[in-house]
Amino acid sequence: MTKIFWLSRHTMTQAQLSDLNRIYGEVEVVQYDGSVKDAAEVLERAGDCEILAVVLPPAILANLVHPRVNTKPVIRAKANRVPTGNTVINPATGKEEAEYRFEHAGWEQIKRIVVETVDL
């Protein structure tokens, strides 16, 4: 059985879990739904998990996939934004807009993150 660390505020969907079973065989998912300050904290919370399935900002991701910091595979879920055909009121704007749902579209392994900046 492959132990997977799920770092997300959202509970993993059945479609995401089924897809992980397709990829890794039988899996055990350990979820942490809080915030982390850096890659070291991710690794500390992941403990003995073999795969890191995460939702993180690019700066933390970049450190987490660096081979000097971590050797465990880092993956993330992909999703398609699918219109439901309904309209809803956007609470931020008060305006009516199309409603969407997110549909699982697979997993991807993050090999590296490159951030290119220019001083302003």
Side-chain angles (χ1 to χ4, degrees), residues 1-6 24 26-30 45-53 72-73:
M1 180 178 308
T2 303
K3 199 168 178 181
I4 298 177
F5 181 65
W6 175 234
Y24 297 108
E26 189 177 348
V27 300
E28 175 189 350
V29 175
V30 176
R45 293 190 179 282
D48 65 347
C49 291
E50 302 160 74
I51 308 289
L52 308 175
K72 295 177 182 183

Side-chain angles (χ1 to χ4, degrees), residues 87-105:
T87 57
V88 294
I89 302 298
N90 181 325
T93 64
K95 295 183 179 180
E96 192 173 278
E97 60 184 44
E99 178 184 57
Y100 292 86
R101 66 178 170 79
F102 289 94
E103 183 179 88
H104 179 65

Side-chain angles (χ1 to χ4, degrees), residues 25-37:
E26 189 177 348
V27 300
E28 175 189 350
V29 175
V30 176
Q31 181 174 4
Y32 177 70
D33 64 0
S35 296
V36 293
K37 65 179 184 283

Side-chain angles (χ1 to χ4, degrees), residues 48-110:
D48 65 347
C49 291
E50 302 160 74
I51 308 289
L52 308 175
V54 299
V55 178
L56 289 168
I60 296 176
L61 265 179
N63 287 329
L64 191 59
V65 298
H66 194 288
R68 289 187 193 147
V69 174
N70 170 47
T71 57
K72 295 177 182 183
V74 177
I75 64 173
R76 67 180 176 187
K78 299 187 299 180
N80 293 324
R81 192 170 176 241
V82 180
T84 65
N86 299 324
T87 57
V88 294
I89 302 298
N90 181 325
T93 64
K95 295 183 179 180
E96 192 173 278
E97 60 184 44
E99 178 184 57
Y100 292 86
R101 66 178 170 79
F102 289 94
E103 183 179 88
H104 179 65
W107 291 91
E108 60 188 6
Q109 183 175 352
I110 304 165

